[in-house]
Amino acid sequence: MPEGLGIDLGGVVIAEIWGMSWVPLSLPTFRRVQPIATAKESIARLVERFGKERIHIVSQCRGFHRDRALEWLEHHGFVPELFTIERIHFCDRWQEKVAICAELGITHFVDNKPQVLRSLDGVPNKHLFRSWPEALRALA
């Protein structure tokens, strides 16, 4: 089975604010929130390794935040350059990431929350991402 990569959105691609990943998408100026430094370049390298068809965003995102997340990704050039809409998967609760990863054949996952990574029993390669200085930069 080919390798597949899942990437969380809030706190991994979009900076968290005050330790909460949904805050940037709640701001009226959400389009101005910058990606985490080097996120786009790093994902571009991962696309070279895994192939564009094997990289997915798997993120907890509810209600109107879903439309805003898609708009933010398009505004900052992640869609369609690195991801197609079909490769973006939202869930209401982070626990739902387990089933999504199993369905997609995800073998590697990047998240900023240890409890999410611990729950992904079927994913052999789990990568914790933390970037607290980015939260301060996002507020500037």
Side-chain angles (χ1 to χ4, degrees), residues 76-96:
H76 288 280
F78 287 88
V79 172
E81 186 178 325
L82 300 173
F83 298 98
T84 61
I85 296 295
E86 299 79 27
R87 305 251 180 265
I88 300 172
H89 313 274
F90 294 126
C91 52
D92 290 330
R93 299 176 9 179
W94 64 264
Q95 293 88 341
E96 297 170 32

Side-chain angles (χ1 to χ4, degrees), residues 34-49:
Q34 293 298 305
I36 289 192
T38 72
K40 196 169 182 185
E41 296 83 1
S42 298
I43 293 170
R45 285 194 301 272
L46 291 167
V47 166
E48 290 175 13
R49 183 197 183 289

Side-chain angles (χ1 to χ4, degrees), residues 65-120:
H65 290 112
R66 291 179 181 197
D67 290 337
R68 284 191 166 195
L70 292 173
E71 188 175 336
W72 186 92
L73 287 163
E74 289 173 359
H75 179 76
H76 288 280
F78 287 88
V79 172
E81 186 178 325
L82 300 173
F83 298 98
T84 61
I85 296 295
E86 299 79 27
R87 305 251 180 265
I88 300 172
H89 313 274
F90 294 126
C91 52
D92 290 330
R93 299 176 9 179
W94 64 264
Q95 293 88 341
E96 297 170 32
K97 291 181 180 184
V98 175
I100 294 170
C101 287
E103 180 181 325
L104 298 172
I106 299 295
T107 57
H108 297 71
F109 201 88
V110 180
D111 206 297
N112 63 319
K113 294 184 175 73
Q115 72 269 25
V116 172
L117 294 174
R118 280 192 299 272
S119 75
L120 298 174

